[in-house]
Amino acid sequence: MWTWVLVVAFVIFAFAAQWPAMFAVTLHSKAILATTLIALGTGIFEESLFRGTFFSVFMANMQYRSRSYQLTRSAIYSSIIFGLIHITNVIGGNLQAVLQQVVYAMAFGLFLCVIRVMTNTLLWVIIIHAVADWAPATATGSGPT
């Protein structure tokens, strides 16, 4: 049952983020190789750090304090950190857009935590994160602000 809920949530999430249109643009981009490498690197690094290290540290820490809502609290804490790390984008961007990105990253982080717990592997969250970052603006630095 939960697998279907996640699949439906993923499809809704993908269309809300306009992934189909983004993929069409990326496939016709001159920077497709750079875009792919940056997206994979970002997916591997960020997921290893946030869904791997931080999530695991919170899980281990919760074991000794309180076991109630251990998974939920660990997912929320690691997702908050994941969202807040995106505030660094304010340096070169629009504050309102960056704040929206922070909230989006927190929600996306929670979604990825659920995938991580359900599959007990980082492989799927790395792939999903890389797909989410696979856009020409990632490599060229251009795009909507």
Side-chain angles (χ1 to χ4, degrees):
M1 172 84 174
W2 281 110
T3 304
W4 286 108
V5 169
L6 283 175
V7 167
V8 169
F10 180 75
V11 169
I12 292 169
F13 193 75
F15 279 96
Q18 299 177 349
W19 284 1
M22 182 179 59
F23 292 156
V25 171
T26 303
L27 288 172
H28 293 90
S29 170
K30 293 178 183 175
I32 190 167
L33 180 61
T35 300
T36 303
L37 293 175
I38 290 170
L40 282 173
T42 302
I44 291 168
F45 174 75
E46 289 185 357
E47 293 312 315
S48 297
L49 183 63
F50 294 102
R51 255 55 69 197
T53 305
F54 286 157
F55 182 75
S56 298
V57 166
F58 286 129
M59 285 292 292
N61 189 30
M62 301 279 178
Q63 223 171 13
Y64 299 108
R65 289 188 178 179
S66 168
R67 294 190 60 91
S68 63
Y69 303 109
Q70 180 180 3
L71 284 171
T72 304
R73 292 190 320 182
S74 298
I76 289 171
Y77 296 159
S78 64
S79 297
I80 288 171
I81 294 171
F82 179 65
L84 290 176
I85 201 75
H86 288 83
I87 200 100
T88 59
N89 293 335
V90 80
I91 294 168
N94 178 343
L95 179 62
Q96 183 181 0
V98 171
L99 292 177
Q100 288 174 347
Q101 183 185 24
V102 168
V103 172
Y104 173 85
M106 284 181 195
F108 190 56
L110 279 172
F111 176 76
L112 292 174
C113 279
V114 172
I115 301 289
R116 158 76 161 81
V117 169
M118 285 184 65
T119 62
N120 198 27
T121 181
L122 288 176
L123 177 64
W124 290 108
V125 294
I126 289 171
I127 290 170
I128 292 169
H129 191 146
V131 167
D133 287 347
W134 197 59
T138 304
T140 62
S142 63
T145 56

